[in-house]
Amino acid sequence: MRSIWNGAISFGLVSIPIKLVNATENHSVSFRQIHTEDGGRIRYRKVCELEEREVTSAEIGKGYEDADGSIIPITDEDLAALPIPTAKTIEIVAFVPADRIDPMQMDTAYYLAANGVPATKPYTLLREALKRSEKVAVARFALRGRERLGMLRVVDDVIAMHGLLWPDEIRTSEGVAPDSQVKVRDAELDLADALMDTLGEVELSSLHDDYRTAVEELVTAKAEGTGPAEPPGEAAEGDGGKVIDLMAALESSVRAARTGRSEGKSAEVTPLARSARKRAPATTPKEVGGKKSTAKKTASSKKAEPKKSTSKAATKKTTAKKPPTKKTPTKKRASSA
């Protein structure tokens, strides 16, 4: 992998020469701008507004626009002469538990590679120290014309660094939460929990970009002169703003997720999932225990309903007949064992 920055990690009085390598890559499909009438490429030309002519990259420098609109030229030499100790050094300032870093601060990820044989020992020392402490290092470094914060952690046997946003670069969440106070019922939370349990976990490496795949197939089809594939089905217009019955939507989601799991996706389904799959769609909010009920039991319970108030003894009688026949063999097996 090609390095994008060479410098050193400053770890107290220890200096570790390193190379900075991008840890991520962009796989999104890119498009060019074209003239819709004839398909010609639209290009942007860099023109000097004073001379009204196109200039080359070698003729282009940097400039800071002042409040009055005037431009103050800034050269690479000016920036290199700035008294910033982090210009070529990743300076570790602290070691903290990983949960102290707010994920909102996370930015670009890099790998830090030891630069040369002399760097191997101190590099390994820092890596093993980070592993044993179960902490991450907070550092400052300069890249692409600005000083940044970074977080160093161990990934496999490599020290990785995540660029961090400065705390004042993160906006507050004020005004984002819903204005009105809403009471969530326990039954709704139970269904949400059931849906979360049914969906279960996922191996992140198994996820992929369906949109990119579809765009690539579209490009291939057009290049071969065939039309795009038919869409699987269009959603009804305006569904996004439709007011829904939350309980019904949750129950439907749980049923759909369980059906998806039963059709081949590997996931452990809890007893709740098995019994809920046999329920009639969203009609009975309560389950009758965790046992399977047969058609005979349903019929007998319907007949027995009118006599509920008259014969408790009869109910005891009927319940007393069945359990002994089921339990006796189990006891015998246990005694013989």
Side-chain angles (χ1 to χ4, degrees):
M1 288 186 278
R2 188 174 63 86
S3 63
I4 59 169
W5 184 90
N6 288 353
I9 300 173
S10 172
F11 175 34
L13 296 177
V14 178
S15 182
I16 311 168
I18 57 100
K19 295 184 289 186
L20 197 68
V21 177
N22 277 321
T24 60
E25 54 191 8
N26 187 356
H27 288 164
S28 61
V29 180
S30 58
F31 297 102
R32 301 291 187 188
Q33 289 187 324
I34 62 167
H35 186 199
T36 53
E37 286 188 11
D38 55 20
R41 283 279 303 277
I42 302 297
R43 297 182 183 274
Y44 292 95
R45 303 184 188 279
K46 296 175 180 178
V47 175
C48 172
E49 62 179 21
L50 297 179
E51 298 181 14
E52 294 185 353
R53 69 173 181 89
E54 190 175 349
V55 295
T56 63
S57 297
E59 298 176 89
I60 299 173
K62 299 181 184 73
Y64 177 83
E65 186 173 1
D66 209 352
D68 60 1
S70 61
I71 302 294
I72 302 167
I74 303 291
T75 66
D76 290 338
E77 290 74 20
D78 293 333
L79 296 173
L82 289 175
I84 301 175
T86 56
K88 294 298 282 182
T89 304
I90 297 170
E91 182 186 356
I92 294 176
V93 295
F95 292 89
V96 299
D99 59 11
R100 286 271 303 277
I101 305 296
D102 186 346
M104 290 279 284
Q105 285 186 260
M106 298 289 224
D107 202 2
T108 311
Y110 308 95
Y111 289 132
L112 305 181
N115 194 1
V117 176
T120 305
K121 181 69 181 281
Y123 182 97
T124 306
L125 170 67
L126 176 58
R127 183 190 68 199
E128 296 306 311
L130 285 169
K131 277 186 186 178
R132 192 166 73 170
S133 69
E134 296 183 349
K135 292 182 176 181
V136 296
V138 177
R140 299 159 69 103
F141 67 104
L143 183 66
R144 298 191 178 105
R146 55 172 295 212
E147 191 172 50
R148 303 161 188 257
L149 270 181
M151 180 192 79
L152 277 64
R153 67 185 183 99
V154 179
V155 176
D156 300 326
D157 281 331
V158 175
I159 299 174
M161 181 173 70
H162 297 267
L164 298 178
L165 299 173
W166 295 98
D168 61 1
E169 291 180 312
I170 298 173
R171 295 177 174 178
T172 65
S173 59
E174 188 180 352
V176 179
D179 293 333
S180 56
Q181 295 295 321
V182 178
K183 177 70 178 172
V184 178
R185 293 179 292 158
D186 286 342
E188 292 167 336
L189 280 172
D190 290 342
L191 275 172
D193 287 342
L195 178 56
M196 291 165 67
D197 290 340
T198 307
L199 290 173
E201 296 184 359
V202 67
E203 187 62 44
L204 291 179
S205 60
S206 68
L207 302 177
H208 59 277
D209 187 348
D210 291 331
Y211 180 79
R212 187 187 64 171
T213 303
V215 171
E216 287 171 348
E217 288 172 359
L218 170 64
V219 171
T220 303
K222 287 212 161 196
E224 292 171 354
T226 59
E230 287 293 322
E234 293 181 15
E237 254 184 75
D239 279 357
K242 192 177 175 182
V243 177
I244 59 167
D245 180 340
L246 185 57
M247 286 291 286
L250 283 168
E251 287 174 341
S252 299
S253 300
V254 171
R255 283 197 304 275
R258 286 169 181 159
T259 303
R261 292 294 188 193
S262 67
E263 286 174 357
K265 292 179 184 176
S266 60
E268 219 168 283
V269 182
T270 60
L272 172 67
R274 284 196 292 273
S275 58
R277 216 180 286 138
K278 297 184 190 305
R279 278 189 293 169
T283 52
T284 51
K286 290 183 181 177
E287 292 183 15
V288 187
K291 297 179 183 177
K292 296 179 181 176
S293 58
T294 61
K296 280 185 183 177
K297 281 187 182 176
T298 314
S300 62
S301 64
K302 279 182 183 173
K303 285 179 187 175
E305 267 181 353
K307 297 179 184 177
K308 247 183 191 177
S309 58
T310 57
S311 65
K312 280 186 183 177
T315 315
K316 282 180 185 175
K317 213 172 188 180
T318 53
T319 51
K321 279 180 185 177
K322 289 184 181 178
T325 56
K326 286 183 182 178
K327 289 180 182 176
T328 309
T330 316
K331 283 180 183 175
K332 280 181 181 177
R333 260 184 247 119
S335 62
S336 62

